[in-house]
Amino acid sequence: MHFVAKAMVLFPSLFDGLARSVSIKKGKNSQKDVGKEAAEALAKDARKSELILSSSGIVKSNRSNNFASVCSKRGQKGINQDSLIVWEEFGCQEDIIFCGIFDGHGPWGHVVSKRVKESVPSSLLCNWQKTLALTSLDMDFKIELDRDHQFDIWKQSYMKTYAAIDQELKQHPDIDAFCSGTTALTIIKQGEHLVIANAGDSRAVLATTSDDGSLVPIQLTIDFKPSLPQEAERITQSNGRIFCLHDEPGVYRVWMPNGKRPGLALSRAFGDYCVKDFGLSSIPDVTQRSIRSKDQFVILATDGLWDVISNQEAVQIVSSTPDREKSAKTLVQCAVRAWKYKKRGIAMDDISAICLFFHNSPTQQVDPLMILKQA
């Protein structure tokens, strides 16, 4: 797949024009990042046009083939600490959609996840524009950008965005993220190209059709747990500790050197500054994938769903839901039922899911509940 550089500079031109208008209003001596304000202005307009969704529902643009179904349900541990967002026509680009899901934890987890949800899209848009503009200056507009070059631009933008937001969160006067944080899993779909950025243990699963016609799952992300060798090595080399509690065999957690807190069951997150010096990282794992004709949809969900639903069950539940608008809700409802008999006696976690469909595809209709009964 190739991306024409000439087409790509249209957005920086629009963006820069908006940034200049913001700069004039603020005054020439303003120290505020006008690029960030311009991105926030685009987000505001997108909300007015109902192209941004931050709660359960659907997002459908008349100018693209994308269709997103979204659902979030509070667990039994208190306030829902999950946050999610879908932004269709991301940055006024008809062929781009942004999806993000954030799982907060700790006393301030719900505040942190909401803050990161609000910050990541605009900040990413701003960094992408800057990186793209710099790249365009060094190129003849007739030259085509290949997929890997485009991916590098997104990856650089993600790295800058996550680092900046984690630093801003640390210095925020009204948010205590010392022992609270959030995971962050986001996907950019640009045409037939997916860019996935993951920091935490939420998961993205792609549903694709195999040669025999059956629907199979492809896990696009890694569940970043402290027990993973590369994660454990980073943590232990930073003097962090990893061990399980006696009543939670097999659940490895990250602790400060004194072993007293916080007991995080994941190895990457925003916030949690009590263990940032001891191996916890907010650096995202950024990957890519080309969407093929046999690829049907992608599911983004927090660990509350994956704790009780397998990848295969998830794609079958979504594909067998007659009404795509209800696919995320049906998936979450199946997870709620699964908690009752798979995790009996354990307080149910918050459960959130985004189902992003690529195109219309007729599927065999099966009762989603029968899938779980057969498992």
Side-chain angles (χ1 to χ4, degrees):
M1 183 181 298
H2 291 81
F3 299 82
V4 182
K6 186 174 182 180
M8 291 175 67
V9 297
L10 293 177
F11 171 64
S13 299
L14 178 148
F15 192 99
D16 288 341
L18 183 56
R20 281 194 294 272
S21 68
V22 171
S23 181
I24 292 170
K25 290 179 182 178
K26 286 288 182 179
K28 294 182 179 179
N29 296 325
S30 173
Q31 297 298 310
K32 184 114 178 183
D33 187 341
V34 294
K36 186 176 180 180
E37 283 204 7
E40 290 171 350
L42 289 177
K44 185 177 181 180
D45 288 342
R47 286 190 178 90
K48 288 181 180 178
S49 302
E50 298 184 344
L51 294 173
I52 290 182
L53 180 69
S54 296
S55 60
S56 299
I58 61 167
V59 177
K60 171 61 179 164
S61 169
N62 294 327
R63 294 188 287 184
S64 80
N65 294 324
N66 300 322
F67 183 94
S69 175
V70 180
C71 183
S72 182
K73 183 172 179 59
R74 179 175 63 88
Q76 298 170 326
K77 301 177 181 179
I79 191 169
N80 190 347
Q81 295 189 307
D82 287 356
S83 297
L84 37 73
I85 183 170
V86 175
W87 182 345
E88 177 67 287
E89 296 183 25
F90 186 53
C92 294
Q93 300 293 284
E94 292 180 14
D95 68 332
I96 304 181
I97 185 170
F98 173 91
C99 300
I101 204 159
F102 310 89
D103 184 356
H105 52 263
W108 286 70
H110 58 295
V111 179
V112 176
S113 70
K114 182 180 179 181
R115 177 70 181 184
V116 173
K117 175 204 71 177
E118 293 171 346
S119 301
V120 166
S122 296
S123 180
L124 179 64
L125 196 57
C126 183
N127 283 313
W128 180 64
Q129 181 274 331
K130 290 177 181 177
T131 307
L132 191 56
L134 289 173
T135 302
S136 300
L137 289 174
D138 296 332
M139 298 183 62
D140 182 337
F141 290 166
K142 295 179 181 179
I143 298 175
E144 291 186 345
L145 296 181
D146 61 26
R147 188 190 70 180
D148 289 337
H149 196 160
Q150 175 69 354
F151 171 67
D152 287 340
I153 293 174
W154 278 116
K155 186 171 183 178
Q156 290 178 45
S157 304
Y158 263 115
M159 293 299 180
K160 293 175 184 176
T161 296
Y162 277 44
I165 290 177
D166 202 44
Q167 189 61 34
E168 290 172 6
L169 191 61
K170 185 177 183 179
Q171 299 170 351
H172 199 289
D174 301 320
I175 299 176
D176 182 0
F178 187 69
C179 286
S180 298
T182 186
T183 66
L185 169 60
T186 69
I187 278 187
I188 291 285
K189 178 180 179 288
Q190 183 175 15
E192 301 305 305
H193 187 213
L194 288 180
V195 179
I196 309 104
N198 182 39
D201 58 357
S202 292
R203 186 186 303 170
V205 173
L206 176 78
T208 191
T209 307
S210 64
D211 293 338
D212 65 4
S214 62
L215 204 62
V216 295
I218 298 176
Q219 188 167 322
L220 300 178
T221 54
I222 298 169
D223 298 345
F224 284 111
K225 303 286 190 180
S227 54
L228 290 177
Q230 69 271 24
E231 301 295 288
E233 182 180 4
R234 184 186 68 246
I235 293 165
T236 54
Q237 286 185 351
S238 302
N239 295 321
R241 297 184 63 190
I242 301 172
F243 60 85
C244 306
L245 296 174
H246 293 299
D247 58 348
E248 290 183 318
V251 180
Y252 291 89
R253 296 181 180 273
V254 183
W255 307 83
M256 295 175 68
N258 60 16
K260 292 185 178 180
R261 62 180 181 182
L264 277 180
L266 46 88
S267 56
R268 299 195 190 192
F270 284 98
D272 298 301
Y273 301 106
C274 60
V275 280
K276 272 287 160 63
D277 290 336
F278 305 113
L280 185 79
S281 174
S282 62
I283 297 174
D285 180 43
V286 186
T287 56
Q288 65 177 327
R289 178 185 169 90
S290 291
I291 299 174
R292 297 153 191 161
S293 59
K294 292 184 176 181
D295 296 339
Q296 304 299 323
F297 55 85
V298 64
I299 301 168
L300 285 72
T302 53
D303 66 329
L305 185 136
W306 304 115
D307 283 344
V308 293
I309 299 286
S310 71
N311 294 352
Q312 183 65 53
E313 289 170 344
V315 300
Q316 288 180 327
I317 290 167
V318 171
S319 67
S320 63
T321 301
D323 187 350
R324 289 195 309 174
E325 294 186 5
K326 298 178 180 178
S327 56
K329 182 179 180 180
T330 300
L331 182 59
V332 169
Q333 288 176 334
C334 286
V336 169
R337 292 185 178 94
W339 266 88
K340 293 179 180 179
Y341 64 85
K342 288 186 178 181
K343 298 278 188 178
R344 191 173 286 109
I346 300 176
M348 186 181 76
D349 198 0
D350 303 324
I351 304 172
S352 300
I354 298 173
C355 302
L356 174 61
F357 294 87
F358 304 145
H359 48 72
N360 290 319
S361 179
T363 56
Q364 183 179 1
Q365 302 304 318
V366 181
D367 182 357
L369 292 179
M370 289 302 297
I371 295 169
L372 289 177
K373 291 178 182 178
Q374 294 167 4

